[in-house]
């Protein structure tokens, strides 16, 4: 069982990266069997540039529930599931920190659709969610909103599950000793997604940008 998750956040402000919206789709490998989407009051100001990206402003979240108020629902829907996200460590670590702030330990196995895509669909110029959706003809609406991005990730994940060699790759990525799902903690997920797939690609990309 999987929960495919996307969040929107305030960015790294004084109070850290706080969640402003979350969307969770519970997926049994064939179809979505449950869903939870909610705005979240981060209890701090949302920077203007974040509002420009997501459309989420202070007024929109003013009457939304706080993380503490939705924590039990997030725990319930993700219990005994594998946590799936595009650049999973970003979403996972922000959510884990939100739980730590209210005294709850959060631990789930996880899978990253960026890393899975790189392994199962090699050779693409970009593995950002938007570019992947364009390459694979996946509909993506409400970009940079949690539900829109999560819905697109569900479709991407279905495709990855059905790609040749998927079973072996998924098993390797879920191995507790595997480093496949790791992402350097200080590397923003947007930069990671744009990284080319090979050293040669990096050289060519550098030459094009000069």
């Amino acid at each position: 069982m999987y929960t495919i998750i996307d969040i929107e956040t305030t960015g790294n402000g004084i109070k850290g990266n706080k969640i402003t919206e979350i969307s969770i789709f519970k997926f049994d490998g064939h179809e979505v069997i449950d869903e939870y989407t909610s705005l979240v009051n981060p209890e701090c100001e949302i920077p203007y540039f974040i509002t420009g990206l997501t459309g989420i402003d202070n007024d929109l979240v003013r009457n939304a529930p706080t993380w503490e108020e939705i924590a039990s629902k997030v725990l319930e829907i993700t219990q005994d599931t594998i946590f799936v996200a595009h650049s999973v460590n970003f979403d996972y670590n922000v959510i884990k920190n939100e739980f730590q702030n209210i005294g709850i330990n959060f631990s789930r196995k996880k899978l990253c659709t960026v890393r899975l895509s790189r392994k199962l669909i090699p050779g693409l110029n970009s593995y950002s969610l938007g570019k992947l959706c364009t390459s694979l003809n996946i509909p993506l609406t409400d970009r940079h909103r949690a539900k829109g991005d999560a819905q697109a990730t569900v479709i991407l994940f279905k495709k990855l599950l059905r790609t040749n060699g998927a079973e072996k790759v998924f098993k390797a990525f879920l191995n507790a000793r595997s480093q496949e799902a790791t992402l350097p903690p200080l590397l923003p997920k947007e930069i990671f997604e744009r990284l080319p797939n090979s050293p040669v690609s990096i050289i060519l990309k550098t030459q094009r940008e000069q």
Side-chain angles (χ1 to χ4, degrees):
M1 193 73 68
Y2 308 92
T3 39
I4 299 168
I5 299 170
D6 190 82
I7 58 173
E8 302 302 330
T9 72
T10 60
N12 287 313
I14 295 174
K15 291 192 175 182
N17 213 356
K18 304 290 289 181
I19 294 172
T20 58
E21 188 175 44
I22 186 168
S23 187
I24 304 172
F25 288 85
K26 195 168 188 177
F27 179 67
D28 66 1
H30 300 282
E31 61 184 0
V32 172
I33 61 171
D34 198 4
E35 178 208 339
Y36 177 70
T37 298
S38 179
L39 288 164
V40 181
N41 185 338
E43 301 180 277
C44 63
E45 293 293 308
I46 299 173
Y48 290 119
F49 77 92
I50 294 292
T51 296
L53 180 67
T54 66
I56 300 172
D57 61 18
N58 296 305
D59 288 337
L60 193 61
V61 300
R62 183 165 287 114
N63 296 317
T66 63
W67 182 259
E68 189 167 10
E69 289 172 325
I70 68 168
S72 61
K73 178 61 179 179
V74 176
L75 287 171
E76 177 190 353
I77 195 171
T78 61
Q79 186 175 0
D80 299 323
T81 70
I82 296 167
F83 185 115
V84 180
H86 206 66
S87 298
V88 70
N89 276 11
F90 175 85
D91 301 76
Y92 184 86
N93 288 336
V94 173
I95 288 173
K96 185 172 183 177
N97 286 338
E98 290 278 23
F99 276 117
Q100 284 179 340
N101 289 339
I102 58 172
I104 297 174
N105 180 53
F106 181 79
S107 179
R108 302 286 187 268
K109 289 185 176 181
K110 54 189 174 177
L111 283 170
C112 178
T113 51
V114 176
R115 298 230 179 222
L116 287 168
S117 297
R118 285 176 177 273
K119 195 77 171 181
L120 291 168
I121 314 172
L124 299 181
N125 290 327
S126 172
Y127 289 85
S128 70
L129 184 60
K131 293 292 180 63
L132 268 174
C133 288
T134 298
S135 297
L136 301 175
N137 296 315
I138 295 172
L140 175 54
T141 57
D142 292 328
R143 182 72 172 111
H144 297 302
R145 289 299 298 265
K147 186 171 183 177
D149 286 356
Q151 284 178 318
T153 306
V154 169
I155 299 171
L156 171 62
F157 191 67
K158 282 183 182 179
K159 288 181 178 288
L160 293 171
L161 275 173
R162 289 154 180 74
T163 301
N164 288 337
E167 184 176 353
K168 182 178 180 181
V169 169
F170 273 64
K171 185 176 180 180
F173 277 44
L174 286 169
N175 186 323
R177 293 184 298 275
S178 172
Q179 297 300 306
E180 290 288 0
T182 61
L183 174 66
L186 298 180
L187 181 65
K189 72 172 183 176
E190 292 81 3
I191 294 176
F192 174 77
E193 290 172 7
R194 291 199 300 268
L195 288 175
N197 205 38
S198 69
V200 173
S201 298
I202 293 173
I203 293 171
L204 292 174
K205 184 175 187 293
T206 302
Q207 289 175 342
R208 286 199 302 270
E209 292 176 349
Q210 288 177 345

